[in-house]
Amino acid sequence: MGILRECLVVACRGSRSCITGSPLNKKCLGAGIKLHTIHINNARNWVFMEEPLPEAVAEPIKPDISISLTKLLIDGKFVDAASGKTFPTIDPRTEEIIAHVAEGDVEDVKRAVKAARRAFDKGPWPKMTPYERSKILLRFDDLIDKHSDELATLESLDSGKTYQQSRYAEIPTMARLFRYYAGWANKTHGLTVPADGSQSVQFLHEPIGVAGQIIPWNFPLLMFSWKVGPALACGNTIVLKTAEQTPLSALLAGRLLHEAGLPEGVLNIISGYGHTAGADISSHLDIDKLAFTGSTEVGKIVSQAAAATDFGGRSKCLLKEGYQVVAVRLCSIM
């Protein structure tokens, strides 16, 4: 079947329009196929379309953009992959190559994790006051607004969604998300809990360390926001792998974050494939927490890889001298 017969439409409860929800729709939207409106609650329906709209294929996305960021972002610098390999990212409207992007592999993940670990253990970011972290995120939010046309164009070129959706729905939402997370940076407090006897119970919220993050293709910048925003607000450092189908917009967002004042090594972005870069992030012993959004099938693979590492579900406790043994027992059942 050609792409005209493989558009999956998802109807939303109470909605007058349809949301596309399948990898096939990356091609369908890019080809300018008109999707019929349906009104079925929580239903998925195969629909058969007619001809694509010729003007949608022929008309270029405006504003026009020159693709300049195609390398990996490691330790605050854009660098080639260690292997020198690249891979093509495709315009789904025309199936033409937009650009060749550095193909991150195990060695690049190793470099990125090393930079993130150094930035966490010795750099200023986790030690910075929450207020200062918040100011950097707010400056980044202003840069999102300033570069919204460029971000939206990259998002549309790479993912196949309409420019209107990117520019007037998703980029403003990205800006709102980062403003929200910036506000949380200085509002994440500890807690002292009353206890019986002479015991004292205190919760401290501290950054966890290096976060490994893997995001999918369908909402590249929103997924970037939902993963990167909270981790940065809390003082963590990050190794992020973008989807191989949509690597471009996250690289621009990374550049803007550094322009806003993010220290080197705090955010590292790897473009590459799941079975190489993604697999290594999932099982890397120097990553403290893993965040993944993607298919169920790949999720099972990621969870199996993570289960064999220190962040795979085994609770840990740090028992300081003088604490009662009961603390270990409580911790062991968490």
Side-chain angles (χ1 to χ4, degrees):
M1 280 188 175
I3 62 171
L4 300 186
R5 295 183 178 271
E6 298 178 329
C7 292
L8 177 65
V9 174
V10 180
C12 295
R13 185 184 299 272
S15 173
R16 289 187 173 274
S17 61
C18 301
I19 297 176
T20 55
S22 161
L24 296 170
N25 277 325
K26 185 180 179 185
K27 288 186 176 181
C28 295
L29 283 183
I33 296 169
K34 186 182 296 183
L35 301 180
H36 297 303
T37 301
I38 55 178
H39 302 281
I40 304 174
N41 292 339
N42 300 323
R44 290 172 181 249
N45 293 272
W46 289 99
V47 292
F48 295 87
M49 295 302 164
E50 299 178 1
E51 293 299 319
L53 305 178
E55 64 274 14
V57 177
E59 184 179 352
I61 295 175
K62 296 179 180 180
D64 193 14
I65 188 171
S66 174
I67 309 299
S68 59
L69 299 176
T70 58
K71 298 183 179 183
L72 312 177
L73 177 57
I74 298 178
D75 205 13
K77 301 176 181 64
F78 286 99
V79 297
D80 292 319
S83 66
K85 292 181 181 178
T86 63
F87 66 94
T89 184
I90 306 298
D91 182 344
R93 300 171 307 156
T94 62
E95 297 191 350
E96 294 178 354
I97 295 174
I98 303 170
H100 286 86
V101 180
E103 182 183 334
D105 208 330
V106 173
E107 182 60 33
D108 303 296
V109 172
K110 180 179 178 180
R111 290 191 292 164
V113 173
K114 183 178 179 180
R117 173 57 60 193
R118 183 170 60 248
F120 184 80
D121 292 343
K122 300 180 180 180
W125 187 249
K127 304 175 184 66
M128 194 178 292
T129 65
Y131 174 68
E132 290 299 320
R133 288 202 300 269
S134 176
K135 287 202 304 183
I136 290 174
L137 294 178
L138 289 172
R139 284 199 294 269
F140 173 59
D141 187 73
D142 291 336
L143 289 170
I144 293 174
D145 290 337
K146 181 179 178 180
H147 294 268
S148 56
D149 288 340
E150 189 177 358
L151 287 163
T153 301
L154 283 176
E155 196 80 332
S156 295
L157 274 174
D158 223 7
S159 69
K161 61 188 65 185
T162 65
Y163 176 78
Q164 286 75 16
Q165 178 179 337
S166 297
R167 175 63 180 83
Y168 300 108
E170 295 184 15
I171 304 305
T173 301
M174 179 189 185
R176 290 181 65 178
L177 284 168
F178 270 95
R179 190 167 295 276
Y180 172 79
Y181 295 133
W184 267 108
N186 61 357
K187 299 177 182 66
T188 305
H189 305 146
L191 184 66
T192 301
V193 181
D196 296 337
S198 60
Q199 284 78 22
S200 176
V201 179
Q202 187 177 24
F203 292 90
L204 296 177
H205 292 169
E206 299 176 337
I208 196 169
V210 178
Q213 303 179 340
I214 302 172
I215 60 176
W217 67 264
N218 52 346
F219 293 96
L221 284 176
L222 291 183
M223 290 293 176
F224 177 96
S225 304
W226 289 322
K227 294 285 192 291
V228 171
L232 290 183
C234 293
N236 299 286
T237 59
I238 298 167
V239 177
L240 172 79
K241 192 198 87 67
T242 52
E244 59 268 27
Q245 299 92 341
T246 53
L248 297 177
S249 56
L251 294 172
L252 175 56
R255 193 202 78 189
L256 296 178
L257 266 165
H258 284 85
E259 187 177 328
L262 192 71
E264 294 180 352
V266 173
L267 173 63
N268 304 273
I269 300 176
I270 302 294
S271 309
Y273 293 101
H275 66 278
T276 52
D280 197 50
I281 290 174
S282 301
S283 59
H284 203 292
L285 293 175
D286 211 17
I287 289 178
D288 301 300
K289 185 174 179 61
L290 181 65
F292 166 82
T293 301
S295 69
T296 302
E297 180 182 357
V298 176
K300 291 178 181 178
I301 297 172
V302 169
S303 63
Q304 289 169 1
T309 68
D310 289 340
F311 52 80
R314 297 191 295 273
S315 299
K316 288 188 171 183
C317 292
L318 178 63
L319 183 64
K320 293 186 178 180
E321 185 178 357
Y323 277 47
Q324 296 182 16
V325 177
V326 68
V328 178
R329 291 175 182 166
L330 288 173
C331 187
S332 67
I333 63 174
M334 290 176 62

